[in-house]
Amino acid sequence: MASGILTLDLDAVTRNWTALSRMGDCETGAVVKADGYGTGAAQVARALARAGARSFFVALAHEGAALRRALGAGPSIHVLSGHMAGDADALRDHDLIPMLTGPDQVARHFEALPDHAFGVQLDTGMNRLGLKEAEWQALSDKVLAGKPALALMHLACADEPDHPMNARQLAVFHRMTDGLGLRRTAAATGGILLGKDYHFDLTRPGIGLYGAAPFVAGEPAVRLSLPVIQVRDVTEGETVGYSCGWIAPGSHRIATLAAGYADGIFRSLSGKATLWAGDTPCPLVGRVSMDLITVDVTHLPQVPDRLDLIGPHQTADDLAAVAGTIGYEILTALGPRYERRYSGGAA
Ligand SMILES: *Cc1c(COP(=O)(O)O)cnc(C)c1O
């Protein structure tokens, strides 16, 4: 079978998690939403649980249900979209902690699952999710009486350490939560790097587990190798791919690889990306199509079975820079057709 191979180095993930843990004195959790940023939530979470992680976060209740099956009883699993309509059974059956996002969810949760653990999200200025200050004032007595497991805020500009929004949100979080005896979390990867003022009781790194920006000191953990399924020689003036997107300037050897935009290789990378044959760069030529890309391998003495799109010479962040996006989008777009392999992570 000639599918692309996505390899995740679970030891690198664990080392990244440990390095982020050591930046603070608090508990370090792990965010494994969107199937562990496209890499495999079950494998990432199991490796981190073995390394000592006890608190996990996902975006949706059904992601939480799958994660509970992977982890078994014990670790806490928080749902960042809170308690949405229709979620009660999944939250109860899989022992998930909804992070309530607003007054409507507080009402829904207290009505549907009055004795079930929950957390609360507080809006300190991002204006995406969470109770705003006035809503919190009105509801805090009721919420606190239910003994929330966690109070969460999210930073809008944590990847810009000098942005004044960081300190502003921190001050609002203190004003909303100081003296209430709440267990608190404020920092994703970027917030961890801002320093201990932002750490509170628990941090929530996601992207940093993969050694991607903003955790640029981390260790890249992902490799994506794409299979060469055909090689052909073209002569000057022949064209390659849709819209005749590339015209051979002379005699060239073109390799066709089995992955395309349906697999997360953005079409905007047409004519721009570089693949790697070991240490040798090979330019992508012509358009990215749905299932295939074409690569100039004229200069290779031998065409290997696979070329790397993400690997030692090109991180997800490097590829993101070429595509005009961020590493998060590159990773989470990695499609279901790749064979996922895991190295390391043994107990
Ligand atoms: C996605 C997310 C995280 C993880 O963010 P990273 O930047 O990937 O570390 C943490 N908290 C919330 C609320 C999130 O949505």
Side-chain angles (χ1 to χ4, degrees), residues 7-211:
T7 306
L8 184 67
D9 181 346
L10 291 170
D11 289 338
V13 169
T14 302
R15 284 192 290 270
N16 288 329
W17 182 81
T18 303
L20 291 163
S21 309
R22 291 195 175 135
M23 292 178 190
D25 305 319
C26 64
E27 185 187 341
T28 304
V31 180
V32 294
K33 59 190 177 184
D35 197 22
Y37 291 45
T39 68
Q43 288 80 0
V44 169
R46 279 196 217 110
L48 293 179
R50 280 195 288 269
R54 304 189 305 280
S55 298
F56 295 88
F57 293 82
V58 292
L60 301 170
H62 76 80
E63 293 181 318
L67 187 60
R68 177 62 72 202
R69 282 190 285 272
L71 286 175
S76 59
I77 299 175
H78 307 78
V79 178
L80 293 167
S81 59
H83 186 152
M84 298 200 284
D87 279 354
D89 289 351
L91 294 170
R92 188 190 50 231
D93 294 350
H94 303 285
D95 189 17
L96 309 175
I97 302 174
M99 299 300 300
L100 306 179
T101 58
D104 55 334
Q105 289 206 349
V106 171
R108 176 182 296 130
H109 187 76
F110 279 58
E111 163 83 26
L113 296 175
D115 300 320
H116 185 92
F118 68 97
V120 62
Q121 299 193 45
L122 300 176
D123 182 3
T124 59
M126 188 171 181
N127 280 309
R128 192 177 66 168
L129 291 177
L131 279 76
K132 297 180 77 96
E133 234 177 324
E135 293 168 336
W136 177 234
Q137 265 163 22
L139 283 171
S140 61
D141 284 351
K142 175 181 174 176
V143 171
L144 292 170
K147 300 210 179 329
L150 190 64
L152 177 151
M153 73 160 230
H154 197 49
L155 292 160
C157 305
D159 58 344
E160 297 175 65
D162 298 329
H163 201 295
M165 186 68 167
N166 294 318
R168 218 182 296 153
Q169 287 190 262
L170 184 65
V172 174
F173 195 47
H174 276 294
R175 192 164 72 217
M176 291 173 82
T177 58
D178 279 356
L180 299 179
L182 286 162
R183 179 173 147 79
R184 294 183 282 189
T185 176
T189 302
I192 295 173
L193 303 177
L194 293 178
K196 291 186 184 176
D197 286 353
Y198 290 83
H199 294 181
F200 293 90
D201 301 297
L202 170 69
T203 55
R204 316 184 304 271
I207 195 75
L209 303 173
Y210 306 95

